[in-house]
Structure formats: structure tokens, C-alpha cells
Amino acid sequence: MNTYFVEKAKMTLAGVSIRTTNEVEMGPDGGLPQLWETYFQSNIAGQVATVNPEYIYALYTDYESDASGAYTVVIGHEVAEERHLEGNQLEETGLEESELEESELEENELEKNELEESELVENQLEENRLEESQLEETQFTYAAVPESKYMVFTTKKGPVFEVVAQAWGEIWAYFKESREARTYTGDFEIYDSRNFDPADTQVEIYIAIE
């Protein structure tokens, strides 16, 4: 495999996830194929603010120990973390405005009672909408990937599951005797959806190193 080194800034990913091990994935009960199906059905890019949505990440993170232990796989997209925080602030601002409107209605008790009844209905509808929105977000796992140096391995072209599995086998073998040491802070595969052909594709695998 061709390799090169690169440094990347920290980023945040949002996606669907499972907890698994290499041993499980090598057997008949591996969960990664089903996780990919879940990703393609989830429409993540249509529900959260993504960065470069054409790139699909398969992140390996939260390692229990090393390649032999459990880890979490997140399949999804890079998200605009600052934009996500701004969204929370806008929701807080909306609540403050609602409280101000209620205080202004104290001038007329009869109108206030009528408006309060109306607002109760509106607030309940708004709470329902917020709960639905929060439910959509909590369907996804948000994972922080720290700034790191990476050794990047490029697979050969071929059926995606075949070439990726082969590449990981070579990666594990390489690091058993290499001068570079893995940090296990977050490794990932990148897929370009603009030219993704499951039967004939090439993937870059980023391995975090010291």
C-alpha cells in the first residue's frame, strides 16, 4: 500500500455507531455491514449542519486498549461544531423573548388569561417540536477527533469490504514492527460519495500516530 504522513486539526463527527471488537467483526455476528445500512438510511447530512457532506467518515474511537480490545465505530460526517452551538443559543434566545412577551401582557388581566391559554397550547406544540428535534439529534453519536499526526494508508481498488479488510490486516501487521507508534486517539477511513462504487473503490485510512 502507498503511505504518507499528514497532520490534521481537530474535528467533530456525527453519525451512527456501534461498540465492537476485531474478533467479533471477523466472525458471522459482525455489526459493521448493518451499521453501514443504518447510515445510508439515516439521512444524517439532511438533519445536521455538515462540513463537506460528500465525505463519509468511518471513525474508530474510544479504544478500550489497542487493536485487540473493544472500540466504537462511528459512520457519518464532519459537523460544524460552532454552528451547532449557535443553534442552542438561538433556542435560549427564543425562550427569553417568550418570557418578555408574557410580562407585557400583565396590563390587561382578561386578555392575559385568554392569551395564556393560547400560549399554553403554543408552548406545548413548541415543546413537542423541540422534543422531536432533540430526538432526531440523539439518534446520532457525536465524536470529537483530536488534532493529530496521521500515517495514511491507501487501499488498492476493488470491492470495498474486501480491499478495506485487506488493508486493515496489513496495517495491524505493519505496526507490530514499525518505528511509528499508534496513539489510538481516533483512526478513520474516508469515502468520497461523489465517485463511490462499492464494487470498485479506493479508500484512505488515517491512523493516528505519536
Side-chain angles (χ1 to χ4, degrees):
M1 280 189 297
N2 294 327
T3 62
Y4 64 92
F5 297 90
V6 68
E7 293 190 6
K8 290 184 70 69
K10 66 179 180 180
M11 62 180 175
T12 302
L13 302 180
V16 294
S17 66
I18 59 168
R19 188 78 175 164
T20 189
T21 66
N22 288 335
E23 183 179 2
V24 169
E25 295 306 318
M26 290 178 183
D29 298 323
L32 289 180
Q34 179 59 51
L35 186 64
W36 275 104
E37 288 187 23
T38 302
Y39 160 77
F40 284 117
Q41 295 169 1
S42 67
N43 187 31
I44 296 173
Q47 298 188 50
V48 297
T50 59
V51 178
N52 299 320
E54 66 271 19
Y55 293 118
I56 306 168
Y57 289 81
L59 171 69
Y60 301 80
T61 188
D62 194 18
Y63 285 92
E64 181 181 54
S65 54
D66 53 22
S68 62
Y71 53 85
T72 298
V73 182
V74 181
I75 300 176
H77 298 271
E78 182 179 0
V79 295
E81 186 176 16
E82 293 181 357
R83 199 177 308 167
H84 183 64
L85 291 174
E86 288 172 6
N88 287 340
Q89 292 167 358
L90 286 173
E91 289 177 8
E92 291 173 2
T93 301
L95 291 173
E96 290 172 0
E97 290 174 355
S98 176
E99 291 167 359
L100 286 173
E101 288 174 358
E102 289 180 4
S103 66
E104 291 172 357
L105 292 172
E106 293 177 355
E107 298 174 0
N108 188 312
E109 190 63 32
L110 180 60
E111 290 180 3
K112 176 184 174 183
N113 291 339
E114 292 174 350
L115 287 168
E116 279 181 350
E117 291 179 2
S118 175
E119 285 177 356
L120 283 174
V121 175
E122 290 178 1
N123 287 341
Q124 186 61 53
L125 290 172
E126 181 63 23
E127 286 178 8
N128 290 342
R129 286 193 292 268
L130 286 172
E131 286 176 0
E132 289 175 1
S133 175
Q134 291 166 355
L135 181 60
E136 286 182 351
E137 284 202 10
T138 55
Q139 291 174 357
F140 305 129
T141 298
Y142 285 79
V145 185
E147 178 181 0
S148 182
K149 180 180 180 181
Y150 293 91
M151 187 171 183
V152 184
F153 295 78
T154 304
T155 71
K156 64 182 183 181
K157 292 195 73 173
V160 59
F161 289 115
E162 180 181 313
V163 298
V164 170
Q166 180 181 346
W168 274 106
E170 295 179 15
I171 290 169
W172 297 330
Y174 174 86
F175 281 103
K176 285 181 179 179
E177 301 179 357
S178 70
R179 292 178 300 174
E180 297 84 12
R182 295 180 63 180
T183 61
Y184 295 97
T185 54
D187 310 307
F188 53 87
E189 305 154 7
I190 296 182
Y191 300 81
D192 189 340
S193 62
R194 293 169 298 184
N195 54 16
F196 180 65
D197 178 1
D200 186 30
T201 194
Q202 191 170 44
V203 180
E204 286 191 330
I205 304 175
Y206 288 67
I207 305 296
I209 59 174
E210 295 178 354

